[in-house]
Amino acid sequence: MRGKSSATLIVTANVLAGCNTHQSTLAPFGVDAADIRHLFIIMLVGAVVIAGGVALLMRHAVRAPEGSIDHRKGMRIVLWLGGIIPTIVLLALLAYSLPYMKPRPASPADLTIAVDGEQFWWRVAYAPPGRAPILSANEIRIPTGRTVAFRLSGGDVVHSFWIPGLAGKMDMIPGRINSLVVRAEKPGRYRGQCAEFCGLSHALMAFDVIAMPPAAFDAWLAEQARPARPSDDPGARLFAANGCSGCHGIAGVTAPSRIGPDLTHFGSRRTLAAGILPMTTANVAKFIRHPEKTKPGVRMPSFPQLSDDEGVALARYLQGLK
Ligand code: CUA
C-alpha cells in the first residue's frame, strides 16, 4: 500500500513538473535539485501517512462510547502519540536528511562562476582555472557532468540566487561571498529567479540557465573570451555619443563595465532585461529609450531623446555583438 502511494506521488510530481520544466523543483536537471525532490517526496509520503493515521484515530475517538478511555489510558495515548512517536519521526527524518545537507566539494580545477545580484540584473564572471575572467550578464551557461562552483555576492542589497531545477537557494549578500557548488546532468534551457525581495522589480529579476554538453560549453566559453571588433556602424557611434560606455563595457571597444551589464556578447543572449523580454530589435530599442517601462525602479536612465530610428540602430549594433 505504502509503495503504491509513493509511486502515485512520484507520478503526480512528474505530471505537475510537466506543467513547467524550465523552472521547477519537481523537474530537476541537477543532482542537488534531484536530492531536494527526493527529500520532498519522502516527507510528503510521511506527512500523508501521519495525517491519514490522525484522521483514522479521530474517527475512532468520535465513534467510541463515552467513558471508554480512562484518564490513565488517555495520558498514555498523549505521551506516545504527542511525545515519543513525533520525537522518533523527527529524529529519523533529521538523520535521513543530514547527509543531503553536506555541501558538494569543489576543487581548484573546477570552473568558478562569480555572480553578483544587482538591482535588477545579474553580473556574471566566468573564471576558468588558469585563465582571465570572462565577463557576462543575465544569462548563465554551465557544462553538464562537471562540478561548477558559484561564488555569490550582492552588489547593492540582498538578493537570492535560485535555479529551482539545479539546486537550492543561496543568499547574495553585499560584502560577503557565499559558495554554491552544483552539477548539472541534463542539457537544456532552464530559468533562474531572484528569490529575495530586493526592490520594485524583484519579480522581474530572472535569467536563462543553459546547460550544455562539455565540448559545446568549452567552445562557447572560448568564443565568449574573444573581444568585440571595433565598428564604425551608426549604432556604434550612437553608443559612444550617448555615453553608454560610462556604464556598459564592450571588451575590445571600451573599458570593462563597473556599473551596468557587460555587453561584449550581448547579441548571443536569448533574453533581454534579465530574462524578461525576448531578444528582438524592437524590444532592445524600446528598453534603451524607456527602461523604466519594462523595469520599474531600474538604475539605467531613460534615453527619450533618441529617435525611433536611432533606437533601432543602437539595438541592431548591440544585437550584432555575438
Ligand atoms: Cu534581486 Cu529580488
Side-chain angles (χ1 to χ4, degrees):
M1 183 65 199
R2 205 171 161 158
K4 214 171 167 185
S5 63
S6 71
T8 312
L9 275 165
I10 290 168
V11 169
T12 311
N14 282 315
V15 168
L16 286 173
C19 302
N20 173 7
T21 53
H22 289 302
Q23 184 178 338
S24 172
T25 47
L26 297 176
F29 68 97
V31 280
D32 302 272
D35 285 350
I36 292 171
R37 183 180 66 170
H38 172 78
L39 278 178
F40 165 72
I41 288 170
I42 295 284
M43 295 203 184
L44 189 61
V45 170
V48 167
V49 168
I50 290 170
V54 170
L56 284 176
L57 273 175
M58 265 173 63
R59 186 165 163 267
H60 180 73
V62 167
R63 289 184 169 191
E66 212 172 319
S68 64
I69 297 176
D70 62 15
H71 180 74
R72 232 178 114 84
K73 200 172 166 193
M75 288 310 285
R76 220 182 300 144
I77 291 173
V78 170
L79 176 69
W80 275 95
L81 295 183
I84 296 171
I85 292 177
T87 306
I88 293 170
V89 168
L90 288 176
L91 281 177
L93 278 177
L94 180 68
Y96 186 80
S97 56
L98 269 181
Y100 290 99
M101 291 166 142
K102 215 172 125 194
R104 183 171 297 284
S107 84
D110 293 324
L111 170 70
T112 300
I113 307 176
V115 186
D116 288 350
E118 304 279 351
Q119 281 176 320
F120 301 93
W121 59 281
W122 312 86
R123 188 188 299 278
V124 181
Y126 296 84
R131 278 155 60 195
I134 299 157
L135 301 183
S136 185
N138 294 335
E139 181 189 278
I140 291 172
R141 298 203 182 209
I142 49 175
T144 52
R146 285 188 196 159
T147 299
V148 173
F150 284 110
R151 290 168 65 77
L152 307 171
S153 190
D156 36 42
V157 298
V158 178
H159 304 263
S160 179
F161 183 79
W162 191 31
I163 306 169
L166 183 63
K169 297 171 188 170
M170 182 61 81
D171 276 354
M172 311 175 99
I173 302 166
R176 187 194 151 93
I177 291 173
N178 282 340
S179 171
L180 180 70
V181 181
V182 300
R183 183 186 274 255
E185 293 292 331
K186 264 193 264 175
R189 184 178 171 194
Y190 306 94
R191 196 166 177 273
Q193 166 70 41
C194 181
E196 177 87 38
F197 182 73
C198 55
L200 267 185
S201 281
H202 153 69
L204 301 174
M205 189 171 166
F207 56 103
D208 265 355
V209 184
I210 298 164
M212 306 169 84
F217 176 82
D218 289 341
W220 172 83
L221 195 62
E223 191 58 38
Q224 293 285 303
R226 286 219 327 244
R229 249 182 262 132
S231 137
D232 195 31
D233 184 278
R237 288 201 296 264
L238 284 165
F239 188 86
N242 285 281
C244 305
S245 61
C247 296
H248 298 282
I250 299 176
V253 178
T254 71
S257 55
R258 292 262 155 80
I259 300 171
D262 186 272
L263 302 178
T264 311
H265 296 278
F266 176 79
S268 71
R269 293 176 207 149
R270 313 276 189 94
T271 60
L272 168 71
I276 299 308
L277 297 172
M279 182 66 83
T280 64
T281 307
N283 283 343
V284 178
K286 180 183 150 212
F287 189 83
I288 295 169
R289 294 176 70 216
H290 299 286
E292 76 291 343
K293 284 193 178 160
T294 302
K295 256 189 191 192
V298 70
R299 296 255 171 104
M300 177 170 157
S302 51
F303 288 85
Q305 69 274 27
L306 291 174
S307 67
D308 283 347
D309 287 349
E310 287 174 326
V312 167
L314 200 38
R316 291 225 170 98
Y317 165 62
L318 295 175
Q319 281 186 289
L321 300 170
K322 298 273 183 179

